[in-house]
Structure formats: C-alpha cells, structure tokens
Amino acid sequence: MVTIRDLMNDPQLFGETFAGDTWNAWRALLSGFYGLPLTDKEADTFKQLTGRDSLPDAPHDELWLVVGRRGGKTNISALLAIYEALFNNHKEKLAPGEIATVMLIAADRKQARSAFRYISGLLNGNPMLKSLIIREDKESIELSNRCAIEVGTASFRSVRGYSVPCIIADEIAFWRSEDSANPDFEVLNALRPAMATLNGKLIALSSPYSRRGALWEHYKRYFAQDDKEILVAQAPSRTMNPALSEKLIEKAMQRDPSAAKAEYLAQFRTDIETFISRESIENCTVPNRLELPPINGVNYSAFTDPSGGSKDAWTLAITHRENETVVLDAVRSVKPPFSPDAVVKDFAELLHLYRIKSVTGDRYGGEFPRELFRNSGIEYLISDRPRSDLYRDTLPLINSCRVELLDLPDIINQFTTLERKTSRGGRDSIDHAPGAHDDLVNSIAGAIINTKKSRGYDLAALNEW
C-alpha cells in the first residue's frame, strides 16, 4: 500500500517535487494525520504544529490547517487530491456505474483553476499516473479506477449529488457567497452526507482571517486537543515553506502588522469583528414581505449606490417612517453588465411612483450619475456621510428593532458580512468582508438615515428616537 510519505518521497511518484527538506514539516504533519509512525524529529514537528502532547496511533477523519500564505497549501491540496483519488481503493463501496469524486472546493473560479493546474501538472508530469487518466477537461479529471477529481467553488447548491471519499476545502476562511452568509458551514453541511458511504475525509486548508466561521470554530475547539477524529494544526508560512523570503514578511509587517500576522504568521485577526449579528437582522425582517406599494399621504426617502456596470451592482432603496420605525418599502439591485442610462431610467420610474423628487447617493462618478438622474427628472443629492458612518448610525436602530426590513436573502447576507475594523490609530471603519458585497445594504442604510433625518431628528439623538 502506498502511503502519503511514499507519494512524497518516491522518485517514481512525486519525490522530485516533494522529497526535499523544505517539505519536512508537511511530511511530518501529513504522516501524523494518516496515523503513520514518525521519526523523533517528525514527532517534535508534529507536536509543535498541533499543540498536542501525544502522537496519533490511527488515521484521523478531518484535518484543519491554519497556515500562512505561500506556505505550500495549494501544492499540498493537489497532492492530497491525487493521493485520495488514486491510492485509496473505493471500488468495493461503489454501486454499479457510480464514481467516487474527490472534490477540491475553492473560494472562487480563479483560485479553483489555480489548484486544478497543480493537479493536472502532477498527474500529466508522471508517465505512470498519466496513463490512468481517461478524460480531462478544465475542471475535472476522470481516472480508470472509477474515481474522479473535480474542482469547484463554494456553493452549497452545486456540491450535492456526489459520492465523495475526500473533500479538500481550499482557503475556507475566505469563502463568500451571495447565497449564504455562512457558505463554509452550508457547503460542508451539504457535502457531509456525500462522504458517509465512503467514510470520506475532510481536509480544510486556509490562511486565517477573523475569529468566526468554520476554521475559527474548529481551531478554537480542537487545537492542542488529543481528539482521535479531528486534527487541527497551525503554522507560520516559513515553518511550512522555509524557502520563503524573510524580507518579504518583514516588509509586510512594517506596512500592516495586523494583516501580516494573519497572512504570514497564521494568527487570527483581533482587529476585525462582525459588525452586526444575524439574529438582529432577522428580528427586523418581516416574513414574506418582498415589497410595499406606495401609499397616499406618506413621505418617502430614497438612496442609491451607483456603479459603472463593470463589477458592483447599482442599487436603490426606498423607505418611510411609521411612528418610531423606519420601514423599507422597496429595493432594486441591478448586477453588471448593464447600461447605466437604462438603470437610471428604471429607477426614476420607481421613484416617481413613490412621488420622490430627489435621491441621495455618494460622490461616485462625479457628475455622471447626477446628470443621468437629472435627465429623468430626479435631483441627485450628495450624501454628507461615508458608508462607514451610515452603517454605524443604522446599527442602534436595527439592534432596537426600529427598522422593518424586506424578506430578501441578499439583505440578510450583506448585512451579516459587514465587518468592523480597528486601525492602528484606533479609528473604526465598517466595510464588507473580502470577496463579499455591500452595495444593496449601503443603499438601505442610506435610506434609513435619510428617513430619520427628514423628520428633524439629529444623529446625536439616535438612541433616544
């Protein structure tokens, strides 16, 4: 039987790539994960990486790796995908015609393609293993042993319907999705039943980010614990890749210590925290309310977040006030590609329907959005607050349930992925997480604050409103 150590050391397999001393830490960690005997030096390395006092005597089911950038995670992901697909026999547990699919899930398409190139390169670079490939395309490789390797992105909808002997979750701390505020948990929940019949393994590798999500939860619960099923390891980039330039890390530390500690020292960030809880947003959401029609005698406010049509959506939100509550009546979100002129014309029709003569937005695009709205009979006013301040001023209203929100998934997801970041100077800023969006909730927060201001209240009295 070929072990992971054999795969890394044997010159007929991948010894030319992974047998060098720079891979010693990875070799010790993976050998321990699969329950292989360790040398004294490897045992010390294993204990250092996992925080454990004892050595494993059997394979684990799950491996969670908190490793700094450029530490070799993508290379190891490819190696593990090949090992699980080619050197573990799953045929006896497969039904006739069924294929075991090793899945490497990445944060986005670009990262998935990068990981797939490593897998394809390793297989096609070895004549013996190349002969086992039956079919290969841009995202999958089918092998002659009734196994396949597929790469994909983090979506709980796209990963169902497989028989999975191994899931490799690449950079799981940075999974973002418009479908869910918690895509890491959702994707893993969707995949775990697919692993059941094949006793599959879960391997999650990532640089750390904020103290939330599946990576943080597993680190907090299992690191330095002698659990027989789940193994958690943590290591700086240079521990796993001694060839990485130390000067590169030193310069990163000088530029932004908090970011560099996460990126290269594998420490979870303490300067970033969730801005608003999912529970608070759900408490303000009116079930099954998707939009409210205009009512005579009601004064409405509107806020828009313009976009040039290449990346972010162009959004619009309309609100009004009922006693001490701000009610969200309607939202629009047009994702690119689109014609800005056509979007503004559609938005203007909706604004006229609610008898709104002016809309507020930021300074994006200079005169460009103002002219478009002006041509449609709507005055474009410049917001006197940046989006970070709009979020900050909206928070107490949401926490005290003085806002009624529409029951739309994008609203919940975008609000709950907002983050509060504290700079070195002690100043807080609020923005979306990396890879996430806040274009819709920016318009909603702006409309909420506009509605509050329109009745003569100032922000200093926010908590008394």
Side-chain angles (χ1 to χ4, degrees):
M1 176 180 177
V2 176
T3 67
I4 191 68
R5 187 195 300 278
D6 297 330
L7 192 64
M8 297 181 75
N9 290 344
D10 193 329
Q12 292 187 329
L13 295 171
F14 299 133
E16 291 186 4
T17 303
F18 294 101
D21 290 343
T22 56
W23 296 99
N24 284 346
W26 280 111
R27 191 177 298 107
L29 179 62
L30 296 182
S31 296
F33 171 65
Y34 284 103
L36 302 177
L38 303 179
T39 66
D40 290 343
K41 187 174 181 179
E42 288 176 338
D44 290 340
T45 300
F46 181 86
K47 291 178 180 179
Q48 174 192 347
L49 296 176
T50 63
R52 294 188 172 193
D53 296 324
S54 62
L55 299 178
D57 56 8
H60 295 80
D61 296 327
E62 297 186 14
L63 176 61
W64 292 78
L65 297 175
V66 185
V67 176
R69 290 187 68 182
R70 313 308 301 174
K73 295 188 298 296
T74 304
N75 305 65
I76 292 297
S77 295
L79 179 76
L80 288 168
I82 293 171
Y83 178 70
E84 290 293 336
L86 279 175
F87 298 98
N88 283 320
N89 186 8
H90 308 291
K91 289 183 179 179
E92 294 181 357
K93 298 177 183 178
L94 295 173
E98 188 179 18
I99 291 178
T101 304
V102 173
M103 303 193 70
L104 196 156
I105 309 297
D108 53 41
R109 289 282 175 193
K110 183 177 180 181
Q111 189 172 330
R113 288 194 296 268
S114 175
F116 186 76
R117 283 194 291 268
Y118 278 100
I119 296 171
S120 178
L122 287 172
L123 286 175
N124 285 286
N126 185 297
M128 178 175 61
L129 300 183
K130 182 179 180 180
S131 66
L132 302 177
I133 299 176
I134 295 176
R135 188 179 299 106
E136 179 176 351
D137 57 31
K138 293 181 179 180
E139 295 184 350
S140 67
I141 296 175
E142 186 177 345
L143 303 165
S144 60
N145 65 343
R146 295 181 64 189
C147 279
I149 301 173
E150 289 192 14
V151 297
T153 56
S155 169
F156 66 90
R157 290 192 176 94
S158 64
V159 298
R160 295 176 180 273
Y162 289 87
S163 296
V164 180
C166 179
I167 300 165
I168 300 173
D170 194 20
E171 294 294 353
I172 192 172
F174 298 92
W175 288 4
R176 299 288 179 263
S177 172
E178 294 298 317
D179 297 325
S180 171
N182 302 299
D184 47 1
F185 289 107
E186 294 288 350
V187 173
L188 295 180
N189 288 341
L191 279 169
R192 287 185 188 278
M195 294 194 296
T197 56
L198 299 180
N199 298 322
K201 291 189 181 297
L202 169 61
I203 301 168
L205 313 88
S206 184
S207 305
Y209 187 57
S210 60
R211 294 179 294 178
R212 70 179 186 196
L215 184 68
W216 165 251
E217 292 299 326
H218 282 79
Y219 173 81
K220 182 173 61 173
R221 182 172 180 181
Y222 295 106
F223 183 72
Q225 302 298 315
D226 291 329
D227 191 273
K228 294 187 179 299
E229 296 181 356
I230 299 176
L231 177 65
V232 177
Q234 182 183 34
S237 303
R238 278 180 50 81
T239 297
M240 307 310 287
N241 179 16
L244 183 65
S245 169
E246 191 169 358
K247 289 184 178 180
L248 173 71
I249 300 174
E250 289 175 355
K251 290 181 179 179
M253 289 291 291
Q254 293 171 3
R255 290 192 300 268
D256 189 338
S258 295
K261 287 179 181 178
E263 299 237 307
Y264 296 107
L265 303 186
Q267 298 178 10
F268 287 91
R269 297 187 67 156
T270 58
D271 62 324
I272 295 176
E273 60 181 18
T274 301
F275 175 64
I276 192 167
S277 70
R278 188 180 187 89
E279 181 181 11
S280 295
I281 296 299
E282 289 177 341
N283 287 341
C284 293
T285 300
V286 181
N288 302 317
R289 179 188 288 179
L290 305 181
E291 187 162 315
L292 292 174
I295 301 173
N296 290 332
V298 173
N299 294 321
Y300 294 95
S301 295
F303 195 100
T304 187
D305 184 12
S307 167
S310 61
K311 183 178 179 181
D312 295 325
W314 192 327
T315 62
L316 174 74
I318 296 173
T319 55
H320 77 275
R321 181 185 171 192
E322 290 183 4
N323 299 320
E324 295 185 351
T325 300
V326 175
V327 178
L328 178 62
D329 296 272
V331 296
R332 294 291 185 269
S333 179
V334 182
K335 298 180 180 180
F338 56 73
S339 163
D341 184 62
V343 169
V344 169
K345 287 181 180 178
D346 290 342
F347 283 4
E349 289 183 10
L350 184 67
L351 294 171
H352 287 308
L353 185 64
Y354 284 84
R355 302 179 304 281
I356 298 173
K357 298 181 179 180
S358 65
V359 63
T360 304
D362 61 25
R363 297 183 182 276
Y364 172 85
E367 187 63 24
F368 152 69
R370 280 175 270 184
E371 181 179 354
L372 291 180
F373 276 103
R374 190 184 305 120
N375 292 340
S376 294
I378 300 293
E379 183 183 7
Y380 186 98
L381 306 176
I382 302 297
S383 174
D384 59 354
R385 289 174 177 80
R387 67 177 60 199
S388 183
D389 290 354
L390 292 175
Y391 295 142
R392 181 200 63 205
D393 295 338
T394 302
L395 179 62
L397 295 177
I398 290 177
N399 284 343
S400 59
C401 290
R402 287 179 281 177
V403 174
E404 290 185 3
L405 298 173
L406 300 175
D407 192 4
L408 300 172
D410 280 357
I411 296 177
I412 296 176
N413 294 342
Q414 289 193 18
F415 264 125
T416 53
T417 55
L418 291 176
E419 297 177 339
R420 186 196 302 271
K421 180 178 180 181
T422 304
S423 68
R424 280 183 283 181
R427 180 178 176 83
D428 283 351
S429 63
I430 300 126
D431 204 348
H432 60 74
H437 295 277
D438 67 341
D439 31 40
L440 181 57
V441 295
N442 179 42
S443 289
I444 293 172
I448 289 171
I449 298 306
N450 273 1
T451 296
K452 179 186 175 302
K453 288 170 56 182
S454 68
R455 297 302 296 265
Y457 296 90
D458 59 34
L459 291 175
L462 186 64
N463 291 316
E464 300 175 5
W465 187 46

